[in-house]
Amino acid sequence: MSTYAQTQYEVSGEGDRKILKGIIHRDLLAKDSAFKWYQQNQAGYSPSAPVIAGVKSKANQVQYIVFGGTWCGDTRYILPKFFQLLDAAGVNQETVTLIGVDHSKKTIGHLTEALNITNVPTIIVLKDGKEAGRVVEYGKTGQWDKELSEIISGVK
């Protein structure tokens, strides 16, 4: 049985322009018809075996804080694939905190300012509550999933 922490978010906009701001859960995106892009952008993505192995290697040692905007093209493209990668690696969804931001990249509780979020999506990898690394948008090389796997593999 899965239990989820209570979501704490605000909704603005409507239809496919709906913006979620605050702590959300992937099920909100997967099940809401306003976010058709979620399932559409999972299609055709198969993470490579080395990427899956890297994520799986420390799956029970790291946590993730993910900032994204439901309005943002890069978030719409990467976020569904990120969750698909975690599923392929057998990562427990309880290790992911997903935080929605508005167009100004603000969210509840000044979290974006506290964690220096300037672009979305930003995937932060934590080990023992400390940042081990982050991938911003498509990463430095355009291979966000490979970079994420390398960060996780390098966690001590």
Side-chain angles (χ1 to χ4, degrees):
M1 182 173 130
S2 292
T3 57
Y4 299 113
Q6 184 176 354
T7 49
Q8 301 171 350
Y9 62 94
E10 301 168 1
V11 179
S12 61
E14 53 189 53
D16 65 355
R17 298 270 179 227
K18 187 187 284 187
I19 297 171
L20 302 180
K21 179 177 164 183
I23 300 170
I24 57 178
H25 192 273
R26 85 187 256 191
D27 287 349
L28 285 169
L29 303 177
K31 294 177 178 167
D32 189 325
S33 62
F35 306 123
K36 289 184 178 82
W37 52 265
Y38 186 86
Q39 268 138 9
Q40 290 167 349
N41 286 334
Q42 283 188 322
Y45 174 68
S46 296
S48 70
V51 166
I52 293 170
V55 173
K56 192 178 223 168
S57 69
K58 305 277 174 51
N60 60 352
Q61 298 175 38
V62 299
Q63 299 79 40
Y64 303 90
I65 300 177
V66 181
F67 289 86
T70 54
W71 49 268
C72 168
D74 293 342
T75 297
R76 289 178 174 203
Y77 182 80
I78 293 172
L79 194 61
K81 293 168 177 59
F82 167 74
F83 281 113
Q84 207 168 358
L85 170 58
L86 295 189
D87 290 347
V91 173
N92 182 337
Q93 295 304 304
E94 299 297 314
T95 64
V96 179
T97 301
L98 179 58
I99 302 170
V101 301
D102 64 17
H103 285 281
S104 302
K105 301 187 186 70
K106 303 286 186 223
T107 191
I108 58 173
H110 305 288
L111 293 171
T112 50
E113 295 90 339
L115 294 170
N116 288 329
I117 304 303
T118 56
N119 298 76
V120 290
T122 295
I123 302 167
I124 301 173
V125 179
L126 300 172
K127 164 76 172 164
D128 298 328
K130 294 185 174 70
E131 183 172 333
R134 66 174 64 191
V135 177
V136 179
E137 294 177 329
Y138 293 92
K140 296 177 181 84
T141 65
Q143 295 179 299
W144 66 271
D145 51 356
K146 183 173 183 267
E147 289 182 38
L148 182 65
S149 177
E150 289 168 356
I151 291 167
I152 295 164
S153 298
V155 167
K156 303 271 185 260

